Amino acid sequence: METLEITIEELARLGADDVILVDLRDAVSFEYGHIPGAINLTGESVFEQIKAKEKTVCLYCRNGIISLSVAEEMREKGFRAVSLKGGYFAWLRTHINDMDVEESVKKIEGSLTKKFHRDLFAPFVKAINEYNLLQEGDKVAVCISGGKDSMLMAKLFQQLHRYSKFPFELIFLVMDPGYSPENREVIERNAKILGIPITVFDTNIFENVFAIEKSPCYICARMRRGYLYNKAKELGCNKIALGHHYDDVIETIVMGMLYGAQVQTMMPKVKSANFEEMELIRPMYLVREDDIKRWRDYNHLRFIQCACKFTDYCTSDGCKTSNTGSKRKKVKELIAMLVKDDPQVEKNIFRSVENVNLTTVIAYKDKDGVKHRFDDEW
């Protein structure tokens, strides 16, 4: 074995019993999507847990950069190691390009009307009705980032539109903030696989935030929101829809308390402060993330997790990461730990912001931002 890199085609020709496929990405990325049969090992665990030196160890990371250096190090330690050329992203592009579009659309739509009707379509419609998110004559910009949540939201909206008792319009809006051609290709191909007619518009957001050291993800998110509002209004829409789900909501509540010293939640709908007569709605508000994952895996779908330049060009521990993302990860783990002891924890967190009693809090702010204390009238 001389070459340090092998292609996806060469990997496919290797027998499953003769190769150990190792995903070097972090656990969150691995859980979001990985090559079937891969195990997730990072850092020194690669050398500690792999003992069979007679087998070929095929390593991959996001783009095949980190895995190449790890393969070289493993070679020096006597392993038969190779790196997958192009990494997970190369495999992902091949996987989605091999899918039959017509068959995929048929299967996906069938899964939403039958197998996942109760867990996905029903709570989607319930949130729309309970929080009054959709009215007759609305024109909604369904904002698609390319991830599992927004892609599912688009498909649920499409299904709802077919059977709705009142008329409304949809535009499936994809903003390209400066994706690499490969990332954009994955988003566009997945849209075809789901049968979603997307409208794509370009911005240069990534170029503007790439050099920012402090809170680049926060600034990027704010800029994205502004561009989405602006484009949606230009297209005649009065609402934009985002794919935040139930788990996002309860994590935001806990994060606000632990890291923001405040009781707040991610609202199901918000009036825009800067774009007159525009609203933001979150119709996935009651949909559970685990159910989204089950739908994704059932249909053999693979979506991008993050397509920003910070992850595109990440090659080492020096990679920029979002502090908010790491906090959310900790909160997600905390909630999961608590749920093991009491399954009602998630529901209680969600309901806590519906059951606020102002007579039992030290202070609160009204809609104008004026602070009131419990002893103001004493």
Side-chain angles (χ1 to χ4, degrees):
M1 182 184 300
E2 296 180 358
T3 180
L4 267 173
E5 287 187 304
I6 64 171
T7 64
I8 295 168
E9 293 74 21
E10 289 171 332
L11 173 63
R13 289 196 291 268
L14 292 174
D17 295 333
D18 300 322
V19 64
I20 301 173
L21 187 58
V22 179
D23 189 316
L24 297 175
R25 299 172 302 154
D26 62 86
V28 174
S29 298
F30 179 82
E31 194 279 334
Y32 199 92
H34 58 269
I35 302 175
I39 58 175
N40 187 211
L41 300 175
T42 58
E44 290 301 317
S45 62
V46 178
F47 304 99
E48 294 172 355
Q49 296 190 39
I50 296 180
K51 305 297 183 182
K53 293 189 176 183
E54 72 281 1
K55 290 189 176 183
T56 298
V57 180
C58 181
L59 307 151
Y60 71 89
C61 58
R62 179 183 172 83
N63 288 323
I65 299 173
I66 298 174
S67 57
L68 188 60
S69 62
V70 176
E72 188 173 8
E73 187 176 353
M74 291 191 75
R75 285 279 187 94
E76 294 172 356
K77 295 179 182 293
F79 289 92
R80 293 170 52 85
V82 293
S83 172
L84 182 62
K85 189 173 183 179
Y88 175 72
F89 213 78
W91 177 86
L92 176 60
R93 292 172 65 199
T94 300
H95 171 77
I96 63 175
N97 284 331
D98 286 344
M99 295 183 72
D100 184 286
V101 171
E102 187 175 340
E103 285 298 317
S104 294
V105 171
K106 184 178 179 181
K107 180 182 178 183
I108 290 164
E109 293 182 349
S111 72
L112 289 176
T113 56
K114 297 177 181 178
K115 184 176 178 64
F116 294 99
H117 180 87
R118 183 187 66 180
D119 295 328
L120 294 178
F121 191 75
F124 177 79
V125 173
K126 181 179 179 181
I128 287 175
N129 292 332
E130 185 166 329
Y131 302 115
N132 196 26
L133 303 184
L134 195 64
Q135 286 81 39
E136 183 175 343
D138 278 343
K139 188 172 183 179
V140 184
V142 182
C143 301
I144 300 174
S145 66
K148 67 184 191 314
D149 308 326
S150 61
M151 283 291 194
L152 172 60
M153 175 182 66
K155 200 63 194 173
L156 290 170
F157 255 124
Q158 194 180 56
Q159 295 284 86
L160 177 64
H161 188 261
R162 289 172 181 165
Y163 305 109
S164 176
K165 296 179 180 179
F166 61 84
F168 63 93
E169 294 182 63
L170 298 172
I171 292 181
F172 300 102
L173 194 59
V174 176
M175 180 186 64
D176 185 340
Y179 293 143
S180 66
E182 294 81 9
N183 277 321
R184 181 153 170 167
E185 178 189 342
V186 170
I187 295 173
E188 291 175 341
R189 180 63 181 177
N190 271 329
K192 289 181 180 179
I193 290 170
L194 270 73
I196 300 170
I198 58 175
T199 297
V200 185
F201 72 101
D202 300 313
T203 70
N204 59 354
I205 292 177
F206 285 169
E207 290 297 329
N208 292 331
V209 303
F210 188 61
I212 296 175
E213 293 292 333
K214 188 176 181 180
S215 304
C217 295
Y218 171 77
I219 295 171
C220 180
R222 291 294 299 270
M223 290 181 69
R224 285 182 186 224
R225 189 75 54 84
Y227 273 104
L228 287 169
Y229 268 124
N230 190 64
K231 187 64 177 181
K233 190 169 185 178
E234 178 187 313
L235 294 172
C237 299
N238 64 313
K239 293 179 179 178
I240 67 170
L242 302 184
H244 297 114
H245 48 66
Y246 184 97
D247 298 73
D248 290 325
V249 176
I250 62 174
E251 288 160 17
T252 298
I253 295 170
V254 177
M255 286 179 68
M257 295 175 67
L258 297 183
Y259 300 111
Q262 57 189 338
V263 177
Q264 64 174 12
T265 188
M266 182 181 285
M267 300 297 286
K269 66 178 178 180
V270 180
K271 287 185 178 295
S272 173
N274 301 314
F275 294 85
E276 191 176 352
E277 298 181 354
M278 291 286 290
E279 284 186 9
L280 181 157
I281 61 173
R282 295 184 170 100
M284 301 277 282
Y285 207 77
L286 302 178
V287 177
R288 297 306 309 265
E289 185 175 25
D290 282 345
D291 293 325
I292 299 173
K293 292 175 182 176
R294 289 195 303 110
W295 166 81
R296 174 199 65 191
D297 296 341
Y298 175 80
N299 290 292
H300 305 292
L301 298 170
R302 297 290 186 276
F303 302 110
I304 59 172
Q305 179 188 7
C306 178
C308 78
K309 285 191 175 182
F310 298 148
T311 51
D312 264 356
Y313 301 109
C314 175
T315 59
S316 68
D317 292 337
C319 163
K320 293 183 181 181
T321 57
S322 165
N323 189 41
T324 301
S326 63
K327 287 178 179 177
R328 186 170 290 276
K329 181 173 179 283
K330 291 178 182 177
V331 167
K332 186 184 287 287
E333 292 170 349
L334 172 62
I335 294 173
M337 180 183 69
L338 295 173
V339 167
K340 289 181 180 179
D341 294 328
D342 185 352
Q344 295 299 310
V345 163
E346 293 167 310
K347 187 180 293 185
N348 291 340
I349 294 172
F350 186 88
R351 288 179 174 175
S352 68
V353 290
E354 295 180 340
N355 298 317
V356 177
N357 185 339
L358 296 183
T359 64
T360 63
V361 297
I362 301 298
Y364 69 93
K365 291 181 180 179
D366 62 24
K367 64 179 181 178
D368 298 317
V370 178
K371 189 172 183 178
H372 302 272
R373 282 180 51 86
F374 78 100
D375 57 355
D376 282 347
E377 299 178 0
W378 284 22

